C-alpha cells in the first residue's frame, strides 16, 4: 500500500482552522508526490472544536491508503460583562452611593469611598448592583487600597470565574471627578486614572499615587464571566505607575454627623394603583425632594415640597401613567436621604 507522510495532530488557540492541509506520499509502484486534504469535518464541543482532515491516495497497482489529522481549536469565551464598583463599607459613610447623594442628581449607581488615614483597606467589588443594591449584583472580587508613606496603591483581585477588561480609578480630595467643563461627574471616563483596555485579567494594580491627607476613591471596572480560556494574558498581574502630581488633601474633612444616610419614611398603599402616598415626620424643618426612579435608574418623577419641624407630612404622588413595575422612591432633606422599593399595580389597556 502507499505510505502517506501527514502532519501530526496539533492544537491551536483562537486562530481559525486551516482551509486544508498538505502531505506527501511514497510507493513502490508509483513515483508518489503531494496530497491535499481538502476541507475538514468540524465537530463542536463546549470549549473547543475538532477538525478532522482526511488524506486519500491510490497507486498504479490499485492499492490505496488513508490518513487523518485532527486539529483541535481551543478558544476564549466570555459572557455577562457588567459595570462594577468597589464599596468600602455597607454603611454610609465612609461609602456614599452616587444615587443617594443629596447634593447631586446622578442617574448612575456606584460608590465613592472615604479613606481617613494611612492603612490597608479592602473594598468589595460588586458587578451589576443596580441602585447600589448588592443583592441584585455579583460579588466579583476585592479592591485593596494601601495608603502608606504618603503613597497610595490600588490592587484589583477578582474571584474565579470573573475577569476584568477595563478599570478606572478616581482619587481626590472631593467625592467625585470633574469633567473638562468643570461639572461634577461620576462617569468613569472622567476619572483621573484610566488603566485602559485590559486583556481579561484577574489581578492588576495602580502604584505610586502621592497623596497627603484623607481622600475619596472610586474604583470602577468592567468585569465578565470567563467560560473558556486558552490564551495567556500579557496584562495579568501587571501594574501602572501614577504620573500625576501629588494630591494635597490636608484640608479634607468628612463630617459624618452631617447627614442621616438611612432617612426613615413610609409609603402606602403597597402595591398601589395610580396614587402613592409618602409619609414622613422629622424634628427639623427642611425642603423635601421626592424622586421616583424605575429599575433602569431613570428618573420618572420629582416633587419638591416643604416640611415643618415636628409635623406629620404626607405627599401624594400621581403615578397613574406608570405601568405595573417596581419603582424606587428617594426622599432627600437638608440632613438626610433615604430610599425604598415600591410596586405599581397599574395596567394600561392596549388596543
Amino acid at each position: 500500500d502507499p505510505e502517506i507522510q501527514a502532519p501530526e495532530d496539533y492544537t491551536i488557540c483562537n486562530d481559525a482552522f486551516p482551509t486544508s492541509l498538505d502531505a506527501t506520499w511514497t510507493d513502490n509502484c508509483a513515483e508518489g508526490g503531494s496530497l491535499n486534504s481538502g476541507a475538514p469535518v468540524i465537530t463542536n464541543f463546549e470549549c473547543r472544536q475538532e477538525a478532522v482532515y482526511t488524506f486519500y491516495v491510490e497507486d498504479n497497482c490499485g492499492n490505496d491508503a488513508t490518513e487523518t489529522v485532527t486539529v483541535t481549536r481551543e478558544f476564549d469565551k466570555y459572557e455577562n460583562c457588567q459595570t462594577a464598583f468597589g464599596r468600602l463599607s455597607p454603611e454610609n459613610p465612609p461609602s456614599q452611593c452616587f444615587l443617594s447623594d443629596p447634593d447631586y442628581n446622578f442617574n448612575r449607581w456606584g460608590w465613592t469611598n472615604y479613606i481617613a488615614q494611612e492603612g490597608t483597606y479592602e473594598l468589595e467589588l460588586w458587578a451589576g448592583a443596580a441602585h447600589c443594591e448588592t443583592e441584585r449584583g455579583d460579588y466579583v472580587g476585592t479592591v485593596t487600597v494601601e495608603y502608606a508613606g504618603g503613597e497610595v496603591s490600588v490592587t484589583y483581585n477578582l474571584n474565579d470565574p470573573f475577569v476584568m477588561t477595563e478599570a478606572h480609578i478616581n482619587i481626590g480630595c472631593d467625592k467625585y471627578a470633574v469633567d473638562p467643563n468643570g461639572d461634577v461627574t461620576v462617569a468613569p471616563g472622567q476619572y483621573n486614572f484610566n488603566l485602559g483596555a485590559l486583556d481579561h485579567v484577574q489581578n492588576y494594580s495602580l502604584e505610586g499615587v502621592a497623596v497627603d491627607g484623607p481622600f475619596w476613591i472610586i474604583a470602577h471596572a468592567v468585569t465578565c464571566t470567563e467560560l473558556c480560556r486558552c490564551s495567556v494574558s500579557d496584562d495579568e498581574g501587571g501594574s501602572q505607575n501614577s504620573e500625576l502630581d501629588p494630591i494635597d488633601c490636608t484640608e479634607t474633612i468628612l463630617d459624618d454627623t452631617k447627614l442621616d444616610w438611612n432617612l426613615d419614611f413610609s409609603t402606602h398603599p403597597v402595591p398601589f394603583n395610580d396614587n402613592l402616598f409618602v409619609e414622613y415626620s422629622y424634628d427639623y424643618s427642611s425642603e423635601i425632594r421626592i424622586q421616583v426612579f424605575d429599575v433602569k435608574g431613570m428618573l420618572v418623577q420629582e416633587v419638591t415640597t416643604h416640611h415643618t419641624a415636628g409635623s406629620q407630612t404626607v405627599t401624594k404622588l400621581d403615578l397613574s401613567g406608570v405601568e405595573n413595575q417596581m419603582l424606587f422612591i428617594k426622599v432627600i432633606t437638608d440632613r438626610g436621604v433615604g430610599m425604598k422599593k415600591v410596586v405599581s399595580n397599574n395596567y394600561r389597556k392596549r388596543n
Side-chain angles (χ1 to χ4, degrees), residues 85-218:
F85 283 95
R87 182 188 70 175
L88 179 60
S89 169
E91 301 297 332
N92 290 327
S95 295
Q96 167 72 65
C97 176
F98 303 159
L99 294 172
S100 300
D101 194 322
D103 296 325
Y104 303 96
N105 189 27
F106 297 129
N107 60 8
R108 181 194 296 267
W109 73 273
W111 297 276
T112 183
N113 306 276
Y114 184 72
I115 304 295
Q117 58 189 4
E118 293 194 351
T120 300
Y121 303 84
E122 186 170 281
L123 282 65
E124 300 171 345
L125 189 61
W126 289 92
H131 297 279
C132 298
E133 296 186 347
T134 54
E135 62 269 21
R136 302 177 63 184
D138 295 314
Y139 174 63
V140 297
T142 61
V143 181
T144 301
V145 179
E146 294 187 9
Y147 184 17
E151 283 195 350
V152 174
S153 66
V154 183
T155 303
Y156 290 80
N157 284 293
L158 272 67
N159 305 326
D160 289 331
F162 301 104
V163 291
M164 181 171 64
T165 61
E166 295 179 27
H168 301 81
I169 301 168
N170 196 76
I171 297 175
C173 307
D174 298 315
K175 294 180 185 178
Y176 308 111
V178 177
D179 66 19
N181 296 322
D183 296 325
V184 174
T185 179
V186 293
Q190 302 300 322
Y191 296 175
N192 53 2
F193 296 99
N194 182 351
L195 303 188
L198 302 173
D199 183 17
H200 299 94
V201 299
Q202 289 193 309
N203 177 271
Y204 204 81
S205 62
L206 170 68
E207 307 284 349
V209 183
V211 180
D212 187 6
F215 62 90
W216 293 87
I217 179 170
I218 305 174

Side-chain angles (χ1 to χ4, degrees), residues 213-270:
F215 62 90
W216 293 87
I217 179 170
I218 305 174
H220 163 266
V222 174
T223 65
C224 307
T225 302
E226 180 181 293
L227 300 181
C228 310
R229 184 72 175 260
C230 65
S231 65
V232 177
S233 172
D234 292 335
D235 297 329
E236 182 64 44
S239 65
Q240 295 183 24
N241 288 316
S242 170
E243 297 180 354
L244 291 187
D245 293 335
I247 301 171
D248 184 1
C249 298
T250 52
E251 300 300 321
T252 301
I253 300 174
L254 175 67
D255 181 1
D256 58 9
T257 65
K258 179 182 177 183
L259 292 174
D260 175 6
W261 300 95
N262 297 288
L263 194 68
D264 189 35
F265 64 94
S266 63
T267 59
H268 59 87
V270 179

Side-chain angles (χ1 to χ4, degrees), residues 44-82:
N44 296 315
F45 299 90
E46 184 177 2
C47 285
R48 74 182 196 281
Q49 295 175 301
E50 290 184 355
V52 178
Y53 298 82
T54 301
F55 298 94
Y56 173 81
V57 67
E58 183 176 329
D59 65 14
N60 297 336
C61 303
N63 303 308
D64 60 19
T66 301
E67 288 286 345
T68 61
V69 176
T70 299
V71 178
T72 301
R73 177 180 178 269
E74 298 175 344
F75 50 84
D76 299 339
K77 185 177 180 181
Y78 311 93
E79 69 173 9
N80 196 32
C81 295
Q82 303 181 87

